[in-house]
Amino acid sequence: MIKPYYEEPNITIYHGDCLEIMPELTEKVDLVLTDPPYGTKTDQREEWMIGEFSNVMPIALPLIRQSLVSDGAFYCFTSWSQMADWLLRYQQYFKLQNIIIWDKQRHSGCFSPNSWQFTWEGVFFGIKGSRKIRKYQKDVIRSKETGQRIAMQKPVDIIKQLLEASTDENNIVLDPFMGSGTTLVAAKELGRRAIGIEIEEKYCEIAVRRLAQEVLPFKERA
């Protein structure tokens, strides 16, 4: 039986590899919401994976589907550079309903003289069975939060928009690539139950600190 890294009412964090932990979860979840790594080290590989770094999503997708209830839903942030490959794999396990655009309203800082500035990020939204939208929204979303953010971090209000669209109070949300815990923070603020899995302990520690704070400083959000 897997031992939680941290627990509080309705929130559980596991420190470890989500590929090993997801099969051990004893309760199905209503929603998976995650921002997976765009190339990461893993001991579990397929023959087509070249080099030291690999795309973990083809291995994670069947486990994510298995973790969901029969009418579960899945939000997955993605990069334009990965979108074509991920889309084909995503649709092997989920019925794609939307590609949501997060309009960042500013460039990411990652651009070159040969390319346009990157100002948006895609989010795949799919369902396992039939799940109705709880709160209808446009498929272009924006954050009202301001301030400096470190690379790859997501504003809490963006995550809350996704949670409000597809979950009810007390539903269970899983983030298998938790990072510093933004999905769990948003779920806690909305009265959802949440499970986070993170392979790097330093991010587990950050998530625990954030969950313990009443007012969450924006600079630590990810």
Side-chain angles (χ1 to χ4, degrees):
M1 185 175 178
I2 50 174
K3 183 179 179 181
Y5 180 87
Y6 172 81
E7 282 185 294
E8 65 175 64
N10 299 323
I11 302 288
T12 305
I13 292 175
Y14 294 102
H15 170 227
D17 189 335
C18 69
L19 302 179
E20 298 173 358
I21 293 174
M22 279 193 286
E24 299 297 319
L25 297 177
T26 56
E27 192 171 7
K28 299 288 186 181
V29 304
D30 299 282
L31 178 75
V32 174
L33 193 163
T34 198
D35 181 20
Y38 305 150
T40 185
K41 292 181 180 179
T42 176
D43 293 332
Q44 301 185 42
R45 306 179 64 81
E46 292 183 352
E47 290 182 1
W48 56 267
M49 294 179 178
I50 300 172
E52 182 182 13
F53 289 90
S54 58
N55 178 3
V56 73
M57 287 308 289
I59 304 171
L61 281 168
L63 300 177
I64 289 170
R65 180 179 174 85
Q66 177 183 313
S67 300
L68 284 162
V69 296
S70 60
D71 66 339
F74 179 29
Y75 288 98
C76 181
F77 283 84
T78 183
S79 161
W80 67 268
S81 62
Q82 305 287 337
M83 190 172 286
D85 178 54
W86 283 19
L87 184 59
L88 292 173
R89 300 178 185 280
Y90 185 97
Q91 291 183 101
Q92 293 176 354
Y93 298 95
F94 297 95
K95 182 180 179 182
L96 185 71
Q97 300 297 107
N98 296 92
I99 298 179
I100 298 162
I101 300 299
W102 169 29
D103 177 7
K104 298 181 179 181
Q105 304 175 81
R106 63 183 184 183
H107 69 76
S108 64
C110 301
F111 59 91
S112 77
N114 302 317
S115 65
W116 292 46
Q117 295 180 359
F118 308 137
T119 60
W120 64 275
E121 193 165 329
V123 186
F124 294 155
F125 168 56
I127 53 178
K128 180 177 176 180
S130 176
R131 188 176 188 87
K132 292 183 178 179
I133 293 293
R134 273 57 173 170
K135 181 179 179 181
Y136 279 98
Q137 303 184 60
K138 296 179 180 179
D139 61 1
V140 177
I141 56 178
R142 298 178 178 88
S143 173
K144 294 181 180 179
E145 295 180 0
T146 58
Q148 187 175 2
R149 294 195 295 271
I150 61 173
M152 305 307 296
Q153 66 187 163
K154 303 295 183 286
V156 171
D157 65 348
I158 287 292
I159 302 301
K160 288 172 76 170
Q161 289 179 61
L162 304 179
L163 292 178
E164 288 178 320
S166 294
T167 60
D168 303 311
E169 252 187 270
N170 293 316
N171 276 180
I172 306 176
V173 179
L174 168 65
D175 188 343
F177 302 98
M178 180 187 71
S180 60
T182 297
T183 299
L184 275 63
V185 170
K188 183 176 181 178
E189 291 182 5
L190 292 175
R192 277 62 168 169
R193 293 183 285 165
I195 300 167
I197 305 171
E198 175 53 44
I199 200 166
E200 293 197 44
E201 187 171 8
K202 65 180 180 180
Y203 292 118
C204 292
E205 293 172 356
I206 293 171
V208 170
R209 292 201 304 269
R210 294 180 65 197
L211 289 162
Q213 294 172 343
E214 266 186 79
V215 180
L216 304 169
F218 185 83
K219 64 182 181 181
E220 281 198 1
R221 294 181 174 176

